[in-house]
Amino acid sequence: MSYIRTNVANGVGEIVLDRPKALNALDQSMVDDMYDVLLRWADDDDIETVMLTSGTDRAFCAGGDIRAIRDSALADDTESITRYFSHEYRLNQLIAEYPKAHIALIDGAAMGGGLGISVHGEIRVVTEKAMIAMPETAIGFFPDIGSTYFLPRLPQGVGMWLALTGARVRGSQALSVGLATHFVPSAELGGVADRIRSGAPLGEILVPSPDKHTDHPPLPVEQIGEYFSDTNIAAIVGGLRGAVGDEWAAQMLDLLGHASPTSLWVTARLLELGETAMLDECLERELHSAEKITATHDFAEGVRAVLVDKDRTPAFVPSEIDDVDPAEVSRIVGV
């Protein structure tokens, strides 16, 4: 059974994510099918534009199939883990280098792997229902899919904030920090999609409309920049703890408190290295890190607590950021 549907008409190739029960979480077949389709369309002279949509209004794409990865890790099936991540990152690289317009219409949750198939593309359209997040540190993993390349290139501190806390960015907030390129009200998105399918010029369809960018309050970019511009986890946490009476800082401490301390240090290091690296270098480093971190206690425990048993009470080891061994971080990151 295929979890994607495709259609070609009027010079437009459309891929519809169609795994609604799993909120379009990307399993191995979806990753491979999307790669094969996009590779074929890249050389098809009859296709000028590629559009990625969701077949369910519940989500765009909730990420990768992390539960399956945990099952492989528990079975010591490292070959399946390497195959999944290497193929997913290959897909991310293809989208980033795609020779034709690549449009993602995000009307719902787009997390983890959902960003890998959208943010690397040329055009990312969000609605007020869009919810973007990289929640990997809460499951003992790290933000991957090339995010260690694009997150450090967001406004100061924003990438580190998103990566460490798993904070959610909604609608026009994503536009304001560069994760999205266009905003369309959800009620109008179907009409926009139909016009794209008709082959109408994109410049006539996707027109900036600032008056419609008021769906959510602006992000506190000054606070984010103040507290999350460091790459040292202890310094970030110390700064937040010192902000007595700052409710926002307290909320961020709470988010960090639910994350794997090891994942926090690994994530910060990967983003630091990503600041001066090319995308392919970041993806190669992410693959090494994914192979290593999926074999750790924190990954199995984090996925159990969040996605399997859903008790939200993971027992991470170590449980404190000050107890994380720098040598373990270097082993996972590979430098």
Side-chain angles (χ1 to χ4, degrees):
M1 178 178 180
S2 178
Y3 292 119
I4 69 168
R5 292 183 280 113
T6 62
N7 181 63
V8 176
N10 305 310
V12 178
E14 181 177 4
I15 297 176
V16 183
L17 304 177
D18 193 21
R19 195 187 180 199
K21 290 184 178 179
L23 300 181
N24 293 334
L26 302 172
D27 69 357
Q28 186 74 59
S29 71
M30 294 173 75
V31 168
D32 292 342
D33 289 349
M34 288 179 64
Y35 181 83
D36 291 343
V37 169
L38 287 174
L39 195 64
R40 185 172 69 251
W41 286 354
D43 293 327
D44 189 334
D45 292 338
D46 292 332
I47 297 177
E48 298 178 356
T49 301
V50 169
M51 181 168 67
L52 186 58
T53 62
S54 170
T56 173
D57 58 6
R58 296 176 61 206
F60 172 72
C61 174
D65 196 350
I66 293 297
R67 291 183 62 165
I69 296 298
R70 178 180 184 267
D71 290 343
S72 295
L74 293 175
D76 200 26
D77 184 1
T78 57
E79 182 179 343
S80 291
I81 293 172
T82 296
R83 180 172 64 251
Y84 179 83
F85 286 115
S86 63
H87 286 207
E88 183 181 27
Y89 301 165
R90 179 183 67 171
L91 173 62
N92 302 150
Q93 185 84 47
L94 175 63
I95 292 172
E97 298 174 344
Y98 210 63
K100 301 175 181 182
H102 181 283
I103 306 170
L105 302 187
I106 304 173
D107 186 40
M111 300 185 288
L115 298 185
I117 58 174
S118 57
V119 171
H120 293 296
E122 180 182 353
I123 299 172
R124 293 92 64 189
V125 181
V126 294
T127 75
E128 73 277 8
K129 295 182 180 179
M131 189 279 286
I132 290 175
M134 297 294 292
E136 287 81 3
T137 59
I139 58 169
F141 196 60
F142 63 90
D144 62 331
I145 49 85
S147 71
T148 63
Y149 174 80
F150 67 74
L151 288 177
R153 287 160 177 79
L154 300 184
Q156 188 175 23
V158 171
M160 189 67 73
W161 168 66
L162 289 170
L164 296 180
T165 66
R168 297 178 173 188
V169 172
R170 298 181 180 276
S172 60
Q173 295 173 337
L175 188 70
S176 70
V177 295
L179 288 170
T181 58
H182 297 79
F183 179 90
V184 172
S186 182
E188 299 177 17
L189 190 64
V192 168
D194 285 341
R195 292 193 66 198
I196 294 173
R197 294 182 186 108
S198 75
L202 296 179
E204 296 178 5
I205 304 170
L206 299 170
V207 180
S209 49
D211 58 307
K212 296 180 180 178
H213 299 167
T214 57
D215 56 311
H216 293 285
L219 292 174
V221 289
E222 290 188 9
Q223 284 177 295
I224 293 171
E226 178 182 355
Y227 293 115
F228 287 90
S229 293
D230 210 314
T231 58
N232 184 294
I233 298 301
I236 291 172
V237 170
L240 291 167
R241 285 175 176 165
V244 179
D246 187 331
E247 182 180 348
W248 183 85
Q251 292 172 351
M252 296 307 105
L253 279 172
D254 182 63
L255 290 175
L256 293 173
H258 286 83
S260 157
T262 299
S263 289
L264 292 176
W265 283 102
V266 167
T267 296
R269 182 63 175 137
L270 286 169
L271 263 65
E272 181 181 17
L273 292 167
E275 289 181 5
T276 56
M278 301 296 290
L279 174 60
D280 59 344
E281 296 174 297
C282 289
L283 289 170
E284 183 177 353
R285 191 179 295 118
E286 289 175 15
L287 179 58
H288 177 278
S289 300
E291 291 172 331
K292 298 300 181 185
I293 207 168
T294 51
T296 66
H297 161 84
D298 276 14
F299 176 73
E301 174 63 4
V303 178
R304 179 206 65 77
V306 175
L307 298 176
V308 180
D309 297 336
K310 301 181 180 180
D311 56 32
R312 300 264 171 187
T313 57
F316 291 129
V317 179
S319 60
E320 302 293 334
I321 60 169
D322 292 338
D323 295 333
V324 175
D325 185 355
E328 174 66 358
V329 175
S330 295
R331 183 188 72 84
I332 293 172
V333 174
V335 294

